[in-house]
Amino acid sequence: MRVNYNYLGDEFKNPESIIKDWRKLIRSTDFTLGKYIDKFEKTFAKYIGSKYCISTNNGTDALILCLKALGLQKGDEVITVCNSFYASAGAIAEVGAKPVFCDSDERYQINIEDLKRKITKKTKAIMPVHWGGASPEIKKIVKICKENNLNIVEDACMGIGAKVENKSPGTFGIINAFSMHPLKSLNVMGDGGAVVTNDKELFDWAKKHRNHGMVNRDNIEFWGVNNRMQPLQAIVAMHGLKKLDLVIKKRTYNASYLDKHLSIKELKKFINIPSRMKNCQETFALYMITCKYRDKLKKFLEKNKIEVKIHYPKPLHLQKPAIKMGYKKGDFPIAELQARTLLTLPVHQFLTKNQLKFMVSKIKEFYSVV
Ligand SMILES: *Cc1c(COP(=O)(O)O)cnc(C)c1O
């Protein structure tokens, strides 16, 4: 038996309905912005439960657009977590601000206690990440930010379809970003992103900035950029949104199966599964565990044709640009230990029960647990 990590071929096995809509788009020649983009933005805002949406070319530019809309610049500090994707810190650096890292917690999310310690006079915003499609303790973060008069920009790139007590990621911060990259919960067959906000002023600015600062064909209000999403992708997103809740349901089922069978007493001393927050829905963009003898287990599983990953073996603060800023090994012991022991298992919606069983049995075999 084989267990692939990559499921993208399965996801678009029958692209006929998408191609049908693409044909309509081609006939309409609405190739930049236009009605397909408008429709997606309205639908997405409603899905998230936010007033406004601005679609963008990718999640990284969505994050940059959020930070620029808040007027962040050189000398400002933005706090984020050291175990995220490069883009969280890259977006902060891109607007000239300084990424200030904090440690993770036992659920691989931003560590609230460390976050509090990192707030200084220069802190202008907090960027919590919905890492792996799970959510940090976002309500606590909202409270801390209120007390310190700080804005929140959520990096909800992996969080489309997640919930924190019936509220979606992207509804806690003042202006927030999503990604529709192929490996996120809403896959648009390429790059795509979105910014959401309830703030009319931020919305108006960001919408103009995305499109050269234009107010009409012949006039701009300020210098802007081109961050537009492609209508081809907006159509894929509309199709994906219809299926998204089902996809997440299937992933949640798979994750519960793995949670249950990997948390048995005999495996406790080898494997640690993060606790799941009550009344929250994760997207399970990533299914992560920490485990003993990680590298050996990874090799063993790969030898048995089970594809696994590590997200990531090196936290952001140990990457070259962070080292140059003065960060060093030992700064974030929790995240560093996780980086040495984390393993991401396949959890995608096309896994069969037999594949799940096979994965569990091979992990048990590795630890000599029967
Ligand atoms: C994917 C991702 C991004 C970047 O999104 P892109 O669409 O790939 O630019 C940013 N932050 C996190 C946490 C992500 O997972």
Side-chain angles (χ1 to χ4, degrees), residues 151-281:
N151 283 317
I152 296 175
V153 174
E154 286 173 76
D155 180 342
C157 281
M158 291 202 209
I160 303 178
K163 283 271 155 47
V164 181
E165 295 173 22
N166 291 321
K167 275 188 75 178
S168 169
T171 60
F172 296 94
I174 183 150
I175 183 164
N176 313 294
F178 294 98
S179 167
M180 286 167 252
H181 176 279
L183 293 175
K184 319 292 172 157
S185 47
L186 182 62
N187 167 3
V188 294
M189 280 193 208
D191 280 309
V195 167
V196 299
T197 181
N198 283 331
D199 187 298
K200 179 79 165 60
E201 226 173 285
L202 291 175
F203 168 69
D204 286 339
W205 187 90
K207 193 168 171 163
K208 279 179 211 149
H209 192 268
R210 170 192 66 177
N211 194 30
H212 308 294
M214 276 167 68
V215 280
N216 55 45
R217 181 184 176 278
D218 300 331
N219 296 286
I220 63 165
E221 198 173 308
F222 45 78
W223 304 123
V225 294
N226 174 356
N227 282 151
R228 297 185 301 252
M229 183 190 220
Q230 303 307 313
L232 286 164
Q233 261 66 48
I235 285 171
V236 184
M238 290 296 288
H239 283 263
L241 273 176
K242 280 186 217 148
K243 283 189 285 191
L244 184 55
D245 289 347
L246 245 169
V247 168
I248 290 176
K249 209 170 152 187
K250 187 74 198 343
R251 282 176 172 257
T252 304
Y253 173 85
N254 294 346
S256 310
Y257 182 94
L258 293 173
D259 278 1
K260 184 175 158 205
H261 290 89
L262 297 179
S263 64
I264 55 168
K265 201 171 78 236
E266 295 83 349
L267 282 173
K268 277 247 152 69
K269 55 178 178 289
F270 303 115
I271 291 177
N272 189 47
I273 290 164
S275 60
R276 309 285 174 206
M277 278 215 292
K278 272 211 188 80
N279 303 319
C280 286
Q281 174 66 59

Side-chain angles (χ1 to χ4, degrees), residues 58-61 63 84-85 87-88 129-131 155 157-158 179-181 184 191-192:
N58 59 56
T60 305
D61 278 330
L63 281 168
S84 183
F85 181 61
S88 312
V129 179
H130 295 263
W131 185 234
D155 180 342
C157 281
M158 291 202 209
S179 167
M180 286 167 252
H181 176 279
K184 319 292 172 157
D191 280 309

Side-chain angles (χ1 to χ4, degrees), residues 83-85 107-109 129-135 155 157-159 162 183 251 276 282-288 311 344 347:
N83 66 325
S84 183
F85 181 61
R107 293 188 310 114
Y108 325 135
Q109 303 297 325
V129 179
H130 295 263
W131 185 234
S135 291
D155 180 342
C157 281
M158 291 202 209
L183 293 175
R251 282 176 172 257
R276 309 285 174 206
E282 303 186 23
T283 65
F284 292 103
L286 306 175
Y287 181 88
M288 294 181 282
H311 294 86
T344 309
V347 74

Side-chain angles (χ1 to χ4, degrees), residues 88-105:
S88 312
I92 297 167
E94 185 59 24
V95 301
K98 181 179 165 191
V100 173
F101 296 113
C102 57
D103 210 344
S104 53
D105 65 15

